[in-house]
């Protein structure tokens, strides 16, 4: 589950349920609060931000700087520094960057200038090793947590990458009836582990959204605290050559989950609404809009298919895949949004749904007080972390090679304003 905050499949494979959920490190520097738009109400401890039917018409509009402050590319001279299958990117102290290099189950660490200074982990099941490394979480001052979906384990490393301890979700007491240990998908600032149990679709033709149970495990372990159950990523089950096939349908609905320092944001993109839950499972904040999603046309469907298979090898097999997608297309509207990311101040950023990686993407950033900002980010930029005045994530170059980019978000509307390199100060 790269980039996302979303949960679900990777490529066409149903069972690879991991992805790099956006889990933020906090930025100690504060920036001036922009004006509020929409209607903010509080009731029984729940803050509701209603953006009306025009969520991107915020009073304050900002854009990422024209050029990134930092670019980290693969090294052509050092094969151990090749970035491949980046599942997550985390910001550490002193402006260092840590990235999950999924192909080797390792953590690559770069200094503030982008030079690789360490590689931790590797494939295995021993201390400090990973079977399916998926996400990172920085716990100041110098602890790095790493989530392993394959081993259902969270591993803690010190500033030098040395193994400190680990925690298995299977060791927590599950008071419910589900015997499956939760898959760790994130960590809060107090050390609480966010877990998820994914159901499998019934082996019958049609579309389905297998349920996902979200739970919280306290820092010291103990009993699993159920948060709730949501419909998961939409899947299409169809028969082909006498066998049942499973695929993600065009414009299929998804469950998006994004940890923040003090809670977990959850949103089903079937409607424009995201909710924040505390470590105790209480609803703390709701951000919603009555915006109507765009209709799916034949042209839009073909654009979706073209974008999905833009790097595939041309030939009869590819045409069969495209035809399969046309036949399982069911939705008349696009998803209400594209991705959510928990921000360093405990707020949320919601990205608009889009197909075209050549176009810039608008985001709505809402802080805990309900202040709203519209932010425009570069085309093709997959956000992993969102700070008070910066974002970091993954881009692809012209040869489809992954790179890590860090952008400043100036306080003014001029994307070139305040474009100067500076060190990132992190901490919850």
């Amino acid at each position: 589950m790269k980039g996302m905050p979303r949960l679900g499949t990777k490529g066409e494979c149903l069972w690879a349920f991991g992805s790099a959920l956006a889990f933020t490190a906090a930025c100690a520097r504060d920036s001036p609060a922009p004006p509020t738009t929409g209607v903010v109400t509080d009731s029984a401890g729940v803050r509701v931000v209603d953006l009306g039917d025009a969520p991107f018409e915020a009073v304050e509009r900002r854009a990422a700087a024209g050029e990134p402050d930092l670019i980290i590319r693969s090294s052509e001279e050092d094969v151990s520094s090749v970035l491949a299958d980046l599942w997550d990117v985390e910001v550490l102290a002193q402006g260092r960057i840590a990235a999950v290099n999924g192909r080797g189950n390792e953590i690559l660490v770069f200094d503030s200038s982008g030079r690789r200074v360490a590689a931790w982990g590797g494939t295995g099941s021993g201390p400090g090793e990973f079977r399916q490394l998926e996400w990172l979480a920085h716990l100041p001052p110098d602890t790095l947590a790493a989530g392993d979906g394959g081993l259902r384990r969270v591993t803690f490393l010190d500033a030098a990458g040395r193994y400190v301890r680990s925690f298995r979700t299977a060791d927590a007491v599950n008071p419910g009836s589900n015997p499956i240990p939760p898959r760790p998908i994130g960590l809060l600032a107090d050390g609480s582990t966010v877990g998820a149990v994914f159901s499998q679709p019934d082996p019958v033709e049609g579309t389905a959204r297998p349920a996902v149970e979200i739970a919280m495990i306290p820092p010291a372990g103990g009993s699993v605290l159920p948060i709730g159950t949501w419909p998961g990523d939409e899947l299409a089950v169809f028969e082909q050559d006498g066998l049942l096939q499973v695929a993600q349908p065009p414009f299929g609905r998804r469950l998006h989950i994004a940890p923040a320092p003090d809670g977990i944001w959850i949103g089903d993109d079937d409607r424009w609404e995201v909710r924040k839950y505390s470590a105790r499972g209480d609803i703390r904040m709701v951000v919603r809009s009555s915006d109507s999603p765009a209709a799916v046309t034949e042209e839009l469907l073909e654009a979706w298919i073209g974008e999905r298979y833009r790097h595939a090898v041309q030939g009869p097999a590819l045409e069969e895949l495209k035809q399969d997608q046309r036949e399982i297309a069911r939705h008349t509207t696009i998803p209400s949004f594209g991705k959510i990311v928990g921000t360093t101040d405990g707020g949320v950023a919601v990205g608009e749904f889009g197909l075209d990686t050549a176009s810039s993407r608008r985001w709505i950033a809402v802080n805990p007080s309900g202040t709203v900002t519209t932010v425009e980010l570069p085309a093709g930029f997959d956000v992993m972390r969102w700070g008070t005045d910066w974002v970091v994530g993954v881009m692809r170059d012209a040869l489809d090679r992954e790179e890590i980019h860090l952008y400043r978000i100036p306080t003014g509307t001029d994307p070139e304003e305040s474009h100067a390199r500076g060190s990132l100060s992190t901490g919850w």
Side-chain angles (χ1 to χ4, degrees):
M1 56 182 188
K2 181 181 297 187
M4 120 271 117
R6 73 192 187 201
L7 295 177
T9 63
K10 184 179 180 185
E12 299 288 338
C13 179
L14 167 63
W15 314 120
F17 273 116
S19 74
L21 287 170
F23 181 78
T24 58
C27 183
R29 179 172 49 192
D30 295 325
S31 58
T36 298
T37 187
V39 179
V40 181
T41 58
D42 293 276
S43 176
V46 180
R47 175 154 293 173
V48 179
V49 182
D50 194 331
L51 302 175
D53 59 2
F56 291 99
E57 298 303 316
V59 175
E60 171 101 349
R61 300 185 183 183
R62 302 167 69 185
E67 296 293 334
D69 272 22
L70 179 66
I71 300 177
I72 300 175
R73 296 188 173 98
S74 298
S75 172
E76 297 181 359
E77 293 78 22
D78 183 1
V79 294
S80 65
S81 295
V82 173
L83 304 179
D85 207 14
L86 292 175
W87 283 71
D88 198 13
V89 179
E90 176 63 293
V91 178
L92 309 179
Q94 289 80 52
R96 294 185 302 161
I97 301 290
V100 172
N101 222 30
R103 188 169 299 179
N105 275 310
E106 59 184 353
I107 303 169
L108 299 183
V109 184
F110 305 86
D111 63 18
S112 59
S113 67
R115 179 176 62 93
R116 202 204 77 172
V117 294
W120 304 333
T123 301
S125 57
E129 297 177 331
F130 309 98
R131 184 179 299 168
Q132 190 171 337
L133 180 59
E134 296 175 342
W135 54 264
L136 302 172
H138 177 224
L139 298 179
D142 57 6
T143 299
L144 181 65
D148 188 328
L151 295 173
R152 299 293 198 271
R153 187 171 73 181
V154 179
T155 295
F156 297 87
L157 308 173
D158 66 13
R162 294 183 292 258
Y163 173 83
V164 176
R165 63 184 178 90
S166 62
F167 166 74
R168 296 174 67 249
T169 60
D171 296 334
V173 178
N174 190 344
S177 59
N178 198 328
I180 302 175
R183 186 190 200 106
I185 59 175
L187 205 70
L188 306 190
D190 66 357
S192 298
T193 300
V194 183
V197 177
F198 300 90
S199 301
Q200 297 182 0
D202 293 330
V204 295
E205 288 191 273
T207 58
R209 298 190 62 182
V212 178
E213 299 178 31
I214 306 298
M216 201 75 69
I217 303 172
S223 297
V224 175
L225 174 64
I227 301 297
T229 301
W230 284 263
D233 287 3
E234 186 173 3
L235 301 170
V237 183
F238 58 98
E239 185 176 345
Q240 186 178 67
D241 299 327
L243 299 173
L244 286 179
Q245 306 291 329
V246 180
Q248 295 174 338
F251 309 104
R253 282 14 182 184
R254 293 184 178 277
L255 180 64
H256 300 251
I257 303 177
D262 58 347
I264 181 82
W265 287 94
I266 302 177
D268 177 353
D269 60 24
D270 195 38
R271 62 176 178 170
W272 214 113
E273 179 177 294
V274 294
R275 297 187 175 198
K276 183 182 181 181
Y277 294 81
S278 71
R280 297 182 59 183
D282 302 317
I283 297 178
R284 289 299 181 217
M285 191 168 178
V286 178
V287 179
R288 65 192 181 193
S289 169
S290 56
D291 181 37
S292 299
V296 173
T297 62
E298 290 294 330
E299 293 76 14
L300 195 58
L301 174 60
E302 291 305 313
W304 187 96
I305 293 173
E307 177 67 20
R308 180 163 191 168
Y309 298 109
R310 69 186 186 278
H311 298 300
V313 177
Q314 300 296 319
L318 176 59
E319 292 307 314
E320 288 184 11
L321 285 175
K322 291 182 177 181
Q323 185 57 35
D324 288 342
Q325 293 294 323
R326 297 183 184 101
E327 292 176 358
I328 63 177
R330 297 289 185 271
H331 288 285
T332 59
T333 59
I334 66 173
S336 294
F337 55 85
K339 184 176 182 178
I340 66 174
V341 176
T343 62
T344 62
D345 60 4
V348 67
V350 183
E352 66 179 338
F353 179 84
L355 303 177
D356 186 6
T357 56
S359 301
S360 58
R361 191 66 50 85
R362 294 180 301 173
W363 288 70
I364 293 290
V366 185
N367 73 13
S369 67
T371 302
V372 183
T373 306
T374 297
V375 181
E376 186 170 302
L377 296 181
F381 184 55
D382 187 9
V383 180
M384 299 291 182
R385 297 289 185 275
W386 193 294
T388 54
D389 63 351
W390 54 268
V391 289
V392 65
V394 176
M395 290 279 279
R396 291 181 177 273
D397 65 12
L399 299 178
D400 200 38
R401 295 174 299 193
E402 292 175 302
E403 302 177 346
I404 298 171
H405 286 205
L406 185 148
Y407 287 91
R408 294 287 176 179
I409 305 177
T411 56
T413 56
D414 182 357
E416 296 299 328
E417 179 187 345
S418 302
H419 178 57
R421 182 183 302 276
S423 61
L424 289 177
S425 176
T426 61
W428 290 111

